Amino acid sequence: MTTIVKAFAAQSATSPLGPENIERRDVGPNDVGIDILYCGICHSDVHFVRNEWNNAAYPAVPGHEIVGRIHSIGANVKGHKVGNMVGVGCLVDSCRQCVDCKEDLEQFCSKSVGTYAGFDKVLNKPTYGGYSKQIVVDSHFALRIPEGLDPAAAAPLLCAGITTYSPLKKWGAGPGKKVGVVGLGGLGHMAVKFAAALGADEVVLFTTTPSKVEDAKKLGATSGVVSTDKAQMRAAINTLDLIINTVAASHDLGEYNKCLKRDGVMVLVGAPEHEHKWPPVMHLLFKRASIAGSPIGGILETQEMLDFCAEKGVASEIELIPMSKVNEAYERIVKSDVRYRFVIDMSTL
Ligand code: NAP
Ligand code: ZN
Ligand code: ZN
């Protein structure tokens, strides 16, 4: 027995999203069944449905910034109750036994299952994401949404939030550090908020959109650099300890590498369709600089991030939209015209 639920899907890389019915498995002994209330739109959803990563399967139901209420739980589930508000991010399963899983780093598990574009072992079918009325996941992958957080503004924390919080913590953003953030979109605006909340001395936004500089200051940035302005970029050379680069398109990493101080690190979290232009090796050598990458975060750290948000009053800046506006939202995301995360009100599906 399975349940058929309403969803929104793309049927090909070039078709818009539209109504679709999908199957959800029954709630098993370790599962929770969730009525989805809100789902954020990540730029990864756009890359995925347009097959920019060559991993799309159609119908493609995206969505991995899910918040909803538990409608049923399996007999073995502890720590969750029917009626609780929970979140689901990019992962719905992993092996739970490998070294990565044992260290609460499920994002690196070679058998982890994506919320979409993964494989549901019970149904023997692809997984479908959060642009849908309901989802069933192993309870380990359901995060508690703390009381104080607005559920709609919390949805983007499940991907944009953890993807920026995790590298900021790993590379020590905090007092004594000057942090740069490249790109003010869904991920970038969370990176600015987190870097400020973690107590970084300076938070510098790099943007291609001059009007976003003032916005970034309201979000916690100390200053902004318009990256298309050569003089402003020159003035930023050799000033930063850490850069979180969220840009969704390929660009010249060398321009930002120059902004690192000795031993500085630039962490790439953007996942563009085409490769970046990399800096000359000599520029890395003579600064002992590093360029790193970071994918989402583990379940334990995602819960820590949600609790941190409740404690510090951090949430996403959202534009709540009905499902009928989803294709328009995709076009605006591609034009960098998002302030700063679209969230779908699932009651409109
Ligand atoms: P987004 O909301 O579209 O923001 C990306 C921002 O990058 C834009 O707002 C824009 O900011 C800047 N930008 C876009 N095109 C640019 C270009 N051609 N040159 C320079 N800057 C450009 O996207 P998002 O949802 O934050 O996602 C960002 C990227 O991270 C995507 O590639 C996504 O797939 C990836 N991602 C990775 C992970 C992970 O685990 N590592 C998780 C989630 C998402 P300005 O207007 O300020 O320039
Ligand atoms: Zn995402
Ligand atoms: Zn594992």
Side-chain angles (χ1 to χ4, degrees), residues 85-96:
M85 194 72 79
V86 287
V88 177
C90 299
L91 298 177
V92 290
D93 208 354
S94 70
C95 85
R96 320 288 289 280

Side-chain angles (χ1 to χ4, degrees), residues 5-33:
V5 303
K6 281 188 190 171
F8 238 57
Q11 303 298 341
S12 79
T14 51
S15 62
L17 285 96
E20 176 75 35
N21 289 324
I22 57 167
E23 235 178 310
R24 294 297 191 194
R25 68 174 188 249
D26 283 345
V27 175
N30 300 311
D31 290 339
V32 294

